Amino acid sequence: MQILSKSISIILFIIIILVIAFFLYSRIQSKKYPEKVPTIFGKSPLTILTNSMIPFIKAGDLVFIRKVSPSEVKVNDDITFKETETKFITHRVIEIKQDQGTVGFVTKGDNNNVKDSNIVTSNHLM
């Protein structure tokens, strides 16, 4: 019983150290490259600031995003895209449009009454 307790303590300690290291790494990367979202192992943590995606994602939730090719995105997928250099939005794809070889995504927050006014182009995908 004592060995099990000690093993659990060591595992929890390692997990805590890894979480602290991850957040320190993210903090350093965001200071060094403010125009980029820090990534580790291809994933980026973002905090949701609004309730536009309720009931599935709420304000304050932490989401992990990964870079995908525009061809991988399907209707009903949640995508994160840049609205401005410092503002990112996570909404659901409700329609995919093609115009002269360019792919565009019509998005909408699950909790919003109307779709987003701008079509998300592939260069805005995170």
Side-chain angles (χ1 to χ4, degrees), residues 29-89:
Q29 290 295 3
S30 65
K31 290 291 186 188
K32 190 173 182 181
Y33 305 104
E35 71 282 356
K36 294 182 180 180
V37 176
T39 64
I40 189 161
F41 303 119
K43 305 248 191 276
S44 300
L46 294 175
T47 303
I48 301 299
L49 300 178
T50 70
N51 283 320
S52 67
M53 288 298 288
I54 279 181
F56 300 105
I57 305 172
K58 300 175 187 83
D61 284 354
L62 179 67
V63 295
F64 287 88
I65 63 170
R66 66 180 171 85
K67 188 92 171 146
V68 296
S69 163
S71 63
E72 294 179 66
V73 177
K74 308 286 184 249
V75 172
N76 288 323
D77 285 352
D78 294 334
I79 61 170
T80 299
F81 55 93
K82 275 188 178 185
E83 185 175 66
T84 67
E85 281 303 309
T86 58
K87 184 177 180 184
F88 308 104
I89 297 175

Side-chain angles (χ1 to χ4, degrees), residues 64-125:
F64 287 88
I65 63 170
R66 66 180 171 85
K67 188 92 171 146
V68 296
S69 163
S71 63
E72 294 179 66
V73 177
K74 308 286 184 249
V75 172
N76 288 323
D77 285 352
D78 294 334
I79 61 170
T80 299
F81 55 93
K82 275 188 178 185
E83 185 175 66
T84 67
E85 281 303 309
T86 58
K87 184 177 180 184
F88 308 104
I89 297 175
T90 299
H91 277 174
R92 189 172 312 280
V93 175
I94 60 170
E95 183 181 351
I96 298 174
K97 294 189 172 201
Q98 299 245 355
D99 183 29
Q100 299 175 354
T102 304
V103 177
F105 305 102
V106 179
T107 56
K108 178 183 172 295
D110 291 347
N111 196 35
N112 295 348
N113 293 327
V114 296
K115 64 185 179 184
D116 298 336
S117 57
N118 295 326
I119 293 178
V120 177
T121 58
S122 58
N123 59 331
H124 288 106
L125 281 179

